[in-house]
Amino acid sequence: MTNPLDQAPTYIKLAVDLIMILEQHDVAPEEVLKALEIVKSDFEKKRTES
């Protein structure tokens, strides 16, 4: 039996991995959202610089 995640796009796999890591570390949702804003901003800047 194959895992449907095996066929998923890379960004879906990454999202699932990140969710699992954050849940395992019991990070408060408010803290996660603040951190994701920083991560998103950083990667958007990197995308425009390349």
Side-chain angles (χ1 to χ4, degrees):
M1 178 182 265
T2 61
N3 183 342
L5 194 55
D6 292 339
Q7 303 302 317
T10 300
Y11 68 94
I12 298 291
K13 294 177 187 177
L14 180 58
V16 170
D17 287 346
L18 291 171
I19 290 167
M20 290 175 58
I21 290 168
L22 293 166
E23 287 179 348
Q24 288 171 354
H25 287 79
D26 199 27
V27 181
E30 300 81 17
E31 297 297 320
V32 171
L33 294 173
K34 288 177 185 178
L36 288 174
E37 286 178 24
I38 295 168
V39 171
K40 183 178 180 188
S41 174
D42 183 65
F43 276 87
E44 286 175 339
K45 185 170 29 168
K46 287 177 183 177
R47 181 175 59 183
T48 60
E49 290 173 356
S50 8

